[in-house]
Amino acid sequence: MTNQTVPEKLQPKDFASDQEVRWCPGCGDYAILKAVHKTLAEIGATVEGTVFVSGIGCAARFPYYMSTYGFHTIHGRAAAVATGVKLANPDLDIWVVGGDGDSLSIGGNHLMHALRRNIDMNYLLFNNEIYGLTKGQYSPTSRIGTKSPSTPTGSIDTPVNAAAFALGCGARFVARSGDIMQAHLVQTLTKAHGHKGMSFVEIMQNCIVYNDNVFGHFMEKKVQKDAQILLEHGQPLRFGADGQKGLVLDPKTLSLKVATVGEDATEDDILVHDETNAVLAGLLARMEPPHFPVAMGVLYNNPAAQTYDQEMKTQMAAATSESQGKLEDLLTRGHTWTVS
Amino acid sequence: MDGAAVTQTSEHAHLVAEAAVVRFAGDSGDGMQLTGGRFTLATALAGNDLATFPDFPAEIRAPIGTTFGVSAFQINFGGRKIKTVGDQLDVLVAMNPAALKVNLDDLKAGGLIIADNGTFNDKNLRKAGYEENPLENGSLANFKLLSVDMSKMTLEAVKEFGVTNKEGLRTKNMWALGLIYWMYDRERAETIAWLQQKFAKREDIASANVAALNAGHAFGETIEQQSEIRPVHVPPAPIDAGLYRAVTGTQAVAWGLTAGAMLANQRMVFCSYPITPASALLHTLAELRHYNVETFQAEDEIAAVCAALGASYAGSIGVTSSSGPGVALKTEALGLGISTELPLVVVNSQRGGPSTGLPTKTEQSDLFQSVWGRNGDAPLCVLATRSPSDCFETAVEAVRIAIKFMTPVILLTDGFLANASEPWQIPDLTKMEPFPTQFATDPEGFEPFSRNPDTLARPWAKPGTPGLEHRIGGIEKQDGSGHISYDPQNHHKMTMLRAEKIQRIAGDVPEQAVDLGTTTGKLAVVGWGSTYGPISRAVTVARAEGLDVSHIHLRHIWPLPRNLKDLLSGYEQILVPEMNTGQLVKLLRAEYLLPAEGLNKISGQPFKVAELDAAIRARLS
């Protein structure tokens, strides 16, 4: 046995770059940045082995504030660029950061395909239900009736539910957290990173300038307990100030119902969270206030047997180890003739 | 003109031709591509130089017997250097009425039609749009006609092997091939061996095919006694000694990219999205995993270029390919590649435009798109390949320049080059200079946007390297540090640096040479891309007659060769034939203020030698 010096574990501050952070004062992104620094320190990440890839938008400035490798790309294409990074070097630990517009409008196609391919990387969607960098237009997650410079009389299109979208694309890890839930966010990001395959985390993020307090009805401290349900694998799906409320399944309509233990349900009636249950995850993802609490935490975590990048690596290794091709053989393959 | 056979009677009653153009045409299911392929090989083995072009129907499965279901294969072969597939046909093999209808216009006056009259029944004639049988109504009087019931004769030849009627008829293409082998005195042995191998599991089918081939050949010997049709001797061409193979432009690009990556000691990550006529490149490379080629079929054109760029960022050579409309979609990501100064190769198999245009027809109308088609001052390197075999070397060069100068490189080919085939002398790979990639590794004083003083290239530092962590993106960067910068002076400087870096590529590639002719004179014909063959042939013919015309063919479209202005200044007239409305000609005029003149053809068809010949004569008379 040899004595190895264990490299000193990096601290959260070691993941911060020397660049001045330029988000608006009070922006939820600051808290997310802090949580990411903390998460990387906790999981023992290295700066050289970590890459942050982003598209365009406020959130997409993220890589500049990291001391890791970073690639700030073009609008909507972060998932596609990150796919290429991972294909070229599957050993890199890749985090993609995008806002709701970047990820679900212009980049919806790439996000869909990255999720279904199950490329081993972490996708953080900062959802603030508004376009920030272009000054306040409504976004694909904005609720119907959102008044904005481009929808002065209120938006009329149905918003996309990010978590439900991800599940529909075949994501194997889908979670939710929020900018002001620091401990929960670090815990959720850590789980996302631990998932082998593509993880998708929707982070509720407050835009203080264009959409302030849009999540107040379930994120504010005073309503949190009644308006959110914190998911724990293997634990009953209970919530409420005194924990007496819970989710039950109505077998007739195959839908969830909020019930109160001791009133219209027994403890046994309350569903138990199972991260590996895709049907349950779908039901949880679609719960919305005011009739339901918002499901926060890991909705779905069911790793596939293989990830795209590992499968590709395996195929490449098999092809190149079998017979590392010589170019001469390639060029002379098939029919040749000699002119003398 | 190219392919036009100058025939004469030799003492053995054989005709002798300097060159000949044959087109096999039939229904999609008649095996014309395969027939053409075997004839090509037999012809190469006979020592002729040659060029071929397949013409597939655009429809996936066109109805049998229709004009839009006709599949054809053309070969021009000769006892001299063959540079085009031939302006006009000497021989048209028509397996059905539709094949005759679609191809007859290309047959020269007095040319030979070999038609399977067994298929010229009412139903097929109607489908082809004939009101009466052209084989019988005298409408083909300007041509020689060999009308023969191939279907019947084939079935007779194969009946002893117990194959079904349908299987028997499928060997009809071999019967036709046998007849053409007789006509041009080709050896059958190689084809017979190939058939026996191909149908090793169906001995009866193999025997039937061989029998059909032999029967077609034997038929030739009988008609020699009874008709005016004679075998034609095409003497071998003076060809450099060496090892040869047939190669299409697509194959040569694929192998060139692979060779380039190998010479760079790199894994290639090839990311593409299917589009005609570029898809074949993806297919070819997908089979080359064991040459360290990783292929990725992306969800769209944008994802393809973005993934390729991501791969380059991560330290592999990223390559993407498409055709015009697909390249349009990649435009923004190309700007990112230029701004972040990452190596990238983009292969554009040009086709008729705009928009969807003519997907299966050739054009060279993406030069402007390549050189200028991006937002901002966004220069990159543009190379154009001129022939199937030239594709190999140009693709190697594209990889080399991309890595050496840390820049996207667009490699222009086109629909004609992608599918055309010609003999290729397999290069001696030991003579190719490796250019192993030098990654940055030293953290001491590392700056992501410092520059190599010679090339102005920035260092390539791949993620995973300790101490070189840095951030890049499409926002303007501070010279050196690469930090975001909105400083006006810095933006001016960076814009000029990016342009100057691309201009320095001109110092790294050879000066422009004159392909044919003299370095000064009355007329220079300046071309690029797949017009090479027809221009070269036309200039060869004109010079043989004493006309003062030279041929200059550009591979380096941007930056232009460093001596090009001086070279072009030495000619009284400059003619630029292009399959577009005049893109290179405008580039040359804009850059050099020279009175270059365009010659334009936008029909989806390559130039005919006759067209260029006329244009040259018009300017020298």
Side-chain angles (χ1 to χ4, degrees):
Chain A
M1 208 131 161
T2 55
N3 282 325
Q4 282 190 326
T5 42
V6 180
E8 206 171 315
K9 215 170 146 183
L10 298 175
Q11 299 301 307
K13 64 174 170 43
D14 296 325
F15 290 96
S17 76
D18 58 356
Q19 296 298 294
E20 184 192 348
V21 184
R22 292 194 182 184
W23 288 311
C24 306
C27 175
D29 287 355
Y30 285 93
I32 304 173
L33 180 65
K34 193 173 147 201
V36 169
H37 287 164
K38 224 187 258 181
T39 304
L40 292 178
E42 277 185 19
I43 62 176
T46 63
V47 284
E48 70 269 20
T50 306
V51 184
F52 277 79
V53 183
S54 65
I56 294 293
C58 295
R61 289 298 185 94
F62 209 91
Y64 292 113
Y65 307 138
M66 302 297 300
S67 63
T68 63
Y69 281 91
F71 198 172
H72 179 216
T73 70
I74 46 180
H75 203 21
R77 320 300 172 199
V81 174
T83 296
V85 175
K86 192 69 180 177
L87 285 177
N89 187 352
D91 297 334
L92 294 171
D93 197 2
I94 297 170
W95 300 75
V96 184
V97 176
D100 37 309
D102 199 32
S103 305
L104 295 168
S105 275
I106 191 168
N109 192 36
H110 307 305
L111 178 56
M112 167 167 81
H113 291 282
L115 287 169
R116 76 166 173 87
R117 286 191 189 105
N118 195 27
I119 297 179
D120 190 11
M121 56 192 185
N122 313 296
Y123 198 103
L124 311 186
L125 187 149
F126 297 9
N127 185 7
N128 56 18
E129 296 191 1
I130 207 76
Y131 283 176
L133 201 60
T134 52
K135 303 199 192 308
Q137 300 85 353
Y138 84 119
S139 94
T141 54
S142 296
R143 273 158 256 172
I144 292 177
T146 298
K147 290 193 176 176
S148 79
S150 57
T151 51
T153 51
S155 64
I156 53 176
D157 39 339
T158 306
V160 59
N161 175 318
F165 169 83
L167 288 166
C169 296
R172 309 299 297 238
F173 183 100
V174 177
R176 266 201 205 117
S177 191
D179 51 6
I180 57 168
M181 303 166 71
Q182 192 64 203
H184 185 263
L185 182 53
V186 172
Q187 198 184 39
T188 306
L189 294 177
T190 304
K191 283 182 189 162
H193 181 264
H195 173 87
K196 192 174 156 51
M198 184 151 172
S199 65
F200 177 82
V201 184
E202 179 188 14
I203 303 169
M204 305 303 172
Q205 176 250 329
N206 192 46
C207 173
I208 195 166
V209 175
Y210 294 108
N211 216 11
D212 194 22
N213 212 27
V214 69
F215 301 122
H217 59 293
F218 68 91
M219 290 293 282
E220 274 182 8
K221 275 244 153 52
K222 58 180 188 232
V223 299
Q224 235 179 36
K225 286 213 159 100
D226 281 314
Q228 288 184 15
I229 182 163
L230 295 174
L231 308 173
E232 286 286 346
H233 183 59
Q235 297 299 314
L237 289 163
R238 293 176 71 152
F239 66 106
D242 51 5
Q244 288 306 99
K245 286 193 268 191
L247 299 174
V248 297
L249 184 73
D250 180 342
K252 282 188 184 151
T253 59
L254 286 182
S255 59
L256 295 178
K257 226 171 56 179
V258 172
T260 305
V261 176
E263 286 179 23
D264 53 351
T266 66
E267 290 212 5
D268 282 354
D269 292 335
I270 306 296
L271 288 169
V272 172
H273 185 43
D274 176 3
E275 286 180 349
T276 65
N277 185 334
V279 174
L280 180 61
L283 294 172
L284 293 171
R286 294 198 171 278
M287 293 196 306
E288 279 175 24
H291 303 299
F292 286 97
V294 176
M296 304 294 276
V298 180
L299 284 78
Y300 188 55
N301 181 9
N302 186 15
Q306 266 295 7
T307 65
Y308 185 96
D309 45 291
Q310 280 305 318
E311 198 68 33
M312 177 67 88
K313 193 177 175 180
T314 306
Q315 283 197 8
M316 286 298 293
T320 48
S321 71
E322 216 168 80
S323 57
Q324 173 74 41
K326 276 201 191 136
L327 200 53
E328 297 88 287
D329 305 338
L330 173 63
L331 302 188
T332 54
R333 203 169 62 166
H335 213 108
T336 61
W337 66 91
T338 303
V339 175
S340 46
Chain B
M1 292 308 97
D2 211 5
V6 182
T7 53
Q8 65 189 61
T9 308
S10 78
E11 46 190 312
H12 306 294
H14 271 54
L15 301 172
V16 175
E18 187 200 19
V21 183
V22 176
R23 186 183 291 173
F24 298 93
D27 210 63
S28 299
D30 282 338
M32 293 296 95
Q33 303 305 323
L34 199 133
T35 308
R38 294 337 289 177
F39 185 68
T40 300
L41 193 57
T43 297
L45 293 173
N48 293 133
D49 195 20
L50 62 92
T52 75
F53 188 69
D55 190 6
F56 321 103
E59 283 71 21
I60 304 298
R61 292 252 193 282
I64 292 171
T66 57
T67 51
F68 49 93
V70 172
S71 171
F73 184 98
Q74 182 168 330
I75 175 169
N76 181 9
F77 57 101
R80 55 162 166 80
K81 197 81 195 136
I82 295 296
K83 290 175 173 171
T84 76
V85 295
D87 281 8
Q88 287 188 301
L89 309 176
D90 293 296
V91 177
L92 170 62
V93 179
M95 304 301 279
N96 68 5
L100 180 67
K101 178 105 181 182
V102 172
N103 294 288
L104 190 62
D105 281 353
D106 295 330
L107 186 64
K108 70 176 187 190
L112 173 64
I113 298 164
I114 301 174
D116 176 11
N117 63 30
T119 64
F120 281 61
N121 53 36
D122 287 350
K123 189 175 152 202
N124 284 337
L125 288 167
R126 206 169 48 244
K127 278 191 193 170
Y130 281 118
E131 285 178 9
E132 44 185 302
N133 190 340
L135 303 180
E136 292 166 359
N137 68 358
S139 62
L140 303 175
N142 287 337
F143 309 102
K144 280 189 277 223
L145 175 63
L146 180 54
S147 170
V148 47
D149 194 340
M150 275 187 222
S151 306
K152 188 173 154 204
M153 297 186 86
T154 301
L155 286 176
E156 269 166 27
V158 305
K159 67 181 173 200
E160 65 180 283
F161 303 104
V163 296
T164 65
N165 205 52
K166 195 176 167 191
E167 286 169 339
L169 278 177
R170 291 190 68 151
T171 68
K172 208 170 66 171
N173 61 334
M174 286 299 121
W175 196 97
L177 183 62
L179 179 59
I180 296 294
Y181 276 7
W182 163 78
M183 179 164 288
Y184 291 106
D185 197 17
R186 299 288 177 241
E187 294 291 336
R188 277 165 287 163
E190 191 279 331
T191 304
I192 291 170
W194 175 79
L195 285 168
Q196 280 160 348
Q197 200 196 350
K198 181 176 167 72
F199 298 110
K201 287 182 185 154
R202 285 290 306 272
E203 207 180 313
D204 52 340
I205 301 279
S207 302
N209 273 286
V210 172
L213 180 78
N214 288 335
H217 194 272
F219 178 79
E221 284 166 353
T222 62
I223 57 163
E224 191 174 357
Q225 318 300 323
Q226 306 158 8
S227 74
E228 50 164 354
I229 295 164
R230 294 280 172 277
V232 179
H233 177 65
V234 179
I239 296 174
D240 293 341
L243 183 63
Y244 284 80
R245 66 168 306 137
V247 72
T248 65
T250 296
Q251 285 174 320
V253 168
W255 300 340
L257 291 170
T258 306
M262 281 182 167
L263 293 166
N265 198 22
Q266 278 277 6
R267 166 172 291 183
M268 180 192 347
V269 180
F270 181 86
C271 309
S272 190
Y273 183 76
I275 182 170
T276 302
S279 306
L281 188 56
L282 170 61
H283 306 166
T284 307
L285 285 165
E287 290 192 19
L288 300 185
R289 288 249 162 96
H290 53 297
Y291 294 96
N292 212 10
V293 175
E294 190 169 340
T295 54
F296 172 63
Q297 182 179 312
E299 59 270 26
D300 60 27
E301 298 285 0
I302 298 173
V305 65
C306 285
L309 197 62
S312 287
Y313 170 70
S316 291
I317 178 68
V319 181
T320 186
S321 75
S322 190
S323 187
V327 175
L329 285 166
K330 297 179 194 292
T331 299
E332 189 192 7
L334 286 181
L336 180 66
I338 291 163
S339 177
T340 53
E341 302 189 43
L342 285 167
L344 178 74
V345 176
V346 184
V347 183
N348 180 356
S349 302
Q350 299 167 96
R351 66 188 211 187
S355 186
T356 305
L358 294 170
T360 59
K361 300 295 173 194
T362 198
E363 206 162 278
Q364 40 183 192
S365 48
D366 294 344
L367 184 144
F368 282 170
Q369 183 193 39
S370 307
V371 177
W372 287 312
R374 288 162 296 281
N375 65 304
D377 280 307
L380 49 64
C381 176
V382 183
L383 304 180
T385 165
R386 68 188 193 182
S387 67
S389 54
D390 181 60
C391 285
F392 181 82
E393 206 182 301
T394 315
V396 172
E397 187 170 11
V399 174
R400 187 186 69 80
I401 290 174
I403 293 174
K404 183 167 182 179
F405 288 87
M406 292 292 280
T407 178
V409 175
I410 292 180
L411 172 58
L412 290 172
T413 164
D414 63 34
F416 177 80
L417 288 176
N419 292 316
S421 157
E422 66 182 9
W424 178 46
Q425 187 176 0
I426 298 171
D428 182 354
L429 295 165
T430 58
K431 287 190 181 142
M432 298 184 78
E433 190 73 36
F435 40 90
T437 309
Q438 306 288 325
F439 287 108
T441 52
D442 186 4
E444 186 62 38
F446 170 76
E447 284 194 321
F449 283 82
S450 62
R451 292 185 187 278
N452 177 307
D454 297 326
T455 61
L456 297 182
R458 76 177 189 91
W460 195 0
K462 59 177 172 179
T465 313
L468 302 187
E469 299 83 15
H470 63 282
R471 276 64 57 191
I472 60 172
I475 301 183
E476 185 60 282
K477 290 147 286 283
Q478 181 67 44
D479 184 27
S481 75
H483 293 320
I484 290 177
S485 167
Y486 292 97
D487 172 37
Q489 298 307 318
N490 178 70
H491 178 56
H492 184 89
K493 183 179 181 188
M494 290 297 276
T495 303
M496 300 311 278
L497 271 171
R498 286 187 286 262
E500 172 63 17
K501 180 179 83 166
I502 297 304
Q503 285 304 320
R504 288 205 186 179
I505 295 168
D508 195 61
V509 300
E511 290 196 338
Q512 181 63 46
V514 177
D515 199 73
L516 275 175
T518 51
T519 53
T520 56
K522 284 193 177 147
L523 175 64
V525 183
V526 181
W528 66 282
S530 70
T531 53
Y532 175 75
I535 296 175
S536 181
R537 180 66 190 152
V539 172
T540 301
V541 171
R543 289 188 60 78
E545 292 175 26
L547 296 178
D548 181 4
V549 54
S550 300
H551 178 196
I552 293 168
H553 213 77
L554 304 187
R555 171 189 288 179
H556 302 100
I557 305 296
W558 199 262
L560 289 163
R562 57 187 184 272
N563 65 325
L564 188 62
K565 184 181 184 183
D566 289 345
L567 180 62
L568 294 183
S569 303
Y571 299 92
E572 290 170 24
Q573 295 181 78
I574 298 161
L575 180 65
V576 185
E578 293 179 86
M579 295 187 287
N580 60 43
T581 55
Q583 300 194 4
L584 178 66
V585 72
K586 287 195 188 72
L587 187 69
L588 295 176
R589 290 171 69 107
E591 287 295 307
Y592 301 146
L593 298 175
L594 282 167
E597 181 197 357
L599 176 69
N600 310 101
K601 179 175 181 178
I602 317 105
S603 63
Q605 303 290 332
F607 274 101
K608 288 192 188 302
V609 178
E611 294 161 345
L612 294 163
D613 185 72
I616 290 167
R617 280 170 210 279
R619 280 152 190 84
L620 292 177
S621 57

